[in-house]
Amino acid sequence: MLVKGMNAGAEKSVSYLYNSFLILDLHMNIGIVCYPTYGGSGVVATELGIGLAKKGHKVHFLSYARPQRLNEFESNIDFHEVAVNVYPLFEYPPYDLALASHMVDLIKYQKLDVLHVHYAIPHATSAYLAKKILGDAGKHVAIITTLHGTDITIVGSDPSYLPVVEFSINQSDSVTAVSEYLRDETYEKFGTTRNIHVIPNFVDMDRFQRVERSHFRKAICPNDEFVLTHVSNFRKVKRVTDAVDVFHRVLNSGIKAKLLLVGDGPDRVNVETRCRELGICDQVRMLGKQEKVEEILSTSDLFLMPSGSETFGLAALEAMSCSVPVISSDVGGLPGLNIDGETGFVCPLGDVDEMGRKAISLLRDKEKLSTFSKAARKRAEEFELSKIVAQYEQHYEYVIGKMKERELV
Ligand code: GMT
């Protein structure tokens, strides 16, 4: 380690201090802040926290409700619920302030080394505020912001939020993005010159693997139909009606198939309307929010992700891990995940004809479908949970080391 203006002996002791942190004090106190609802950023944050806790770190989750995937007892994990007091004057109760107050308590009393916030709005801003409030007592805590998607690409770059998001990103001790695409978008949309580290999303390949679910398949597909699946939070950006249109083309080709729609959200009504317009309601199953998505993916032949914007596409990665090839649009981080002609097909945004053609070509060729299915699982290995959790762990250590180094200069 090189520290400006330091003699060899002092440099050695700094190096020892830095290394001793890395080697002796490996167990950190980590605060993780996320949205608790169904959605990629909350899933990534939760699985990361569980992974870190299993490695011996103490993890404190902070959110307005228990994250959906945090549903089993884990001795190294605590959950802290942020309650927002209502008051007649507040038409919009200030969650970001209540969150900042909780963060102050966590940093102070749980002696956090790292406060890792997922999704910039408002988490990065609350974290900045908490650290400012604590002054010297909070100087040691590393605020790490992970950018996930619409916090940059849609909501965050809206003029009503942009200055605050930009400021908060610049004030974090470190910023990570879930794909190169998102990193580049952040550079383009925000006036930030700081280094943004790319740490991709990940999947638990033990959990998300193809398992025998013939009874479920028999119940859903009594006539041995193919199964096409879509999983999302049914926001406009997911273009679920495109998935229905693609499926309609598959049916029109004479292939017997069912479409499983997993999740729920604001666009559900439009999706139901589209199914009725096309007269295919009997072939479409709306399964709603599901805990064990891997069981549904295990009985799927193709996964549809026709999104209008997608920085990474975690749901597609989970499908690939269950050996399900993906038909996706070509936006954002999707071409970087779904390898066109190998793990599935990447088609122009909104081109439901092309998506339909590609889906039909795979379903008509069993050998090709099986090759794609194996390639999808193989591709998922590059995003295997333990590899990426280790990357985050090393990143925390690196940022803390850098902060300690600066303190000593
Ligand atoms: O940004 C969002 O729309 C929300 C976010 C979430 O919380 O679900 O999704 C984003 O983060 C996921 C996890 O990193 C990514 O896999 C999704 O691609 C991304 N969604 C979009 O970019 C639309």
Side-chain angles (χ1 to χ4, degrees):
M1 174 195 288
L2 288 174
V3 180
K4 216 171 63 196
M6 197 169 268
N7 64 36
E11 191 184 301
K12 205 170 154 200
S13 66
V14 172
S15 170
Y16 169 75
L17 200 99
Y18 181 45
N19 288 337
S20 68
F21 173 78
L22 295 183
I23 296 160
L24 301 176
D25 192 12
L26 269 178
H27 291 162
M28 294 177 255
N29 289 328
I30 302 163
I32 292 190
V33 183
C34 64
Y35 282 105
T37 44
Y38 286 87
S41 63
V43 169
V44 170
T46 311
E47 301 282 8
L48 172 62
I50 296 171
L52 290 165
K54 286 194 169 137
K55 293 183 92 172
H57 301 290
K58 176 78 195 187
V59 177
H60 299 270
F61 279 96
L62 191 55
S63 192
Y64 58 80
R66 175 172 282 272
Q68 303 281 351
R69 285 217 184 161
L70 191 62
N71 45 22
E72 271 172 32
F73 172 74
E74 170 65 54
S75 59
N76 280 343
I77 294 181
D78 282 355
F79 168 64
H80 309 259
E81 187 173 318
V82 180
V84 187
N85 258 343
V86 284
Y87 187 70
L89 212 57
F90 298 156
E91 191 170 342
Y92 305 103
Y95 175 67
D96 31 14
L97 300 187
L99 180 61
S101 292
H102 265 78
M103 286 172 169
V104 167
D105 282 358
L106 266 195
I107 297 170
K108 209 154 73 179
Y109 300 117
Q110 304 295 340
K111 306 205 179 332
L112 295 189
D113 300 298
V114 173
L115 181 59
H116 188 175
V117 303
H118 290 259
Y119 204 89
I121 310 173
H123 304 148
T125 315
S126 301
Y128 164 76
L129 188 57
K131 194 163 169 165
K132 263 276 176 256
I133 291 168
L134 283 164
D136 276 355
K139 252 168 71 184
H140 67 282
V141 68
I143 306 285
I144 299 181
T145 298
T146 291
L147 309 173
H148 279 273
T150 53
D151 46 349
I152 294 298
T153 54
I154 302 178
V155 199
S157 44
D158 185 274
S160 58
Y161 292 113
L162 191 138
V164 177
V165 176
E166 187 175 279
F167 175 81
S168 312
I169 289 174
N170 284 332
Q171 294 300 318
S172 297
D173 295 302
S174 168
V175 179
T176 75
V178 298
S179 64
E180 285 169 13
Y181 165 80
L182 181 58
R183 176 197 58 199
D184 297 344
E185 277 292 289
T186 311
Y187 285 140
E188 203 188 304
K189 291 199 158 83
F190 293 81
T192 179
T193 49
R194 65 171 310 149
N195 197 12
I196 298 175
H197 304 260
V198 175
I199 304 184
N201 287 335
F202 53 89
V203 62
D204 178 348
M205 293 190 76
D206 291 334
R207 173 175 170 188
F208 285 88
Q209 64 173 306
R210 221 171 171 84
V211 283
E212 180 51 40
R213 283 287 175 271
S214 48
H215 58 287
F216 178 70
R217 189 155 183 139
K218 198 102 211 108
I220 296 258
C221 307
N223 301 312
D224 212 18
E225 294 94 334
F226 283 106
V227 176
L228 283 74
T229 301
H230 169 84
V231 181
S232 78
N233 45 19
F234 283 54
R235 286 174 302 163
K236 270 238 154 338
V237 73
K238 300 293 178 184
R239 297 178 71 105
V240 191
T241 48
D242 277 8
V244 173
D245 284 346
V246 171
F247 177 66
H248 183 229
R249 278 153 181 78
V250 169
L251 289 180
N252 278 351
S253 75
I255 292 174
K256 288 197 177 68
K258 295 277 181 188
L259 175 64
L260 306 186
L261 295 175
V262 181
D264 209 339
D267 225 19
R268 183 190 167 120
V269 178
N270 295 331
V271 172
E272 282 170 347
T273 307
R274 188 72 189 135
C275 291
R276 269 183 234 120
E277 281 166 4
L278 296 171
I280 56 172
C281 293
D282 288 349
Q283 279 74 40
V284 180
R285 297 292 302 270
M286 309 277 286
L287 301 181
K289 292 176 183 170
Q290 293 281 331
E291 292 288 333
K292 299 210 167 198
V293 182
E294 64 274 20
E295 296 194 348
I296 297 162
L297 291 171
S298 280
T299 63
S300 304
D301 298 297
L302 271 187
F303 188 81
L304 302 178
M305 183 174 265
S307 303
S309 170
E310 206 70 67
T311 57
F312 183 88
L314 183 66
L317 174 60
E318 291 181 341
M320 286 158 71
S321 185
C322 289
S323 309
V324 188
V326 174
I327 305 285
S328 74
S329 60
D330 60 355
V331 299
L334 288 176
L337 172 69
N338 183 22
I339 311 298
D340 187 44
E342 202 179 310
T343 62
F345 287 107
V346 179
C347 306
L349 170 64
D351 193 343
V352 289
D353 285 332
E354 181 62 2
M355 290 181 201
R357 269 194 295 275
K358 289 288 162 62
I360 293 161
S361 75
L362 268 183
L363 297 174
R364 284 217 170 114
D365 186 340
K366 280 214 159 149
E367 208 173 299
K368 197 168 169 187
L369 185 61
S370 153
T371 307
F372 273 53
S373 156
K374 287 187 190 109
R377 171 80 182 169
K378 186 102 198 93
R379 173 82 178 134
E381 280 172 16
E382 289 171 44
F383 304 91
E384 198 268 320
L385 182 138
S386 66
K387 284 183 198 163
I388 312 296
V389 170
Q391 279 190 37
Y392 273 113
E393 206 178 16
Q394 280 158 19
H395 188 68
Y396 294 167
E397 288 166 0
Y398 166 78
V399 177
I400 294 173
K402 280 272 168 216
M403 286 166 65
K404 280 188 189 295
E405 199 178 300
R406 270 200 299 272
E407 253 176 62
L408 288 164
V409 177

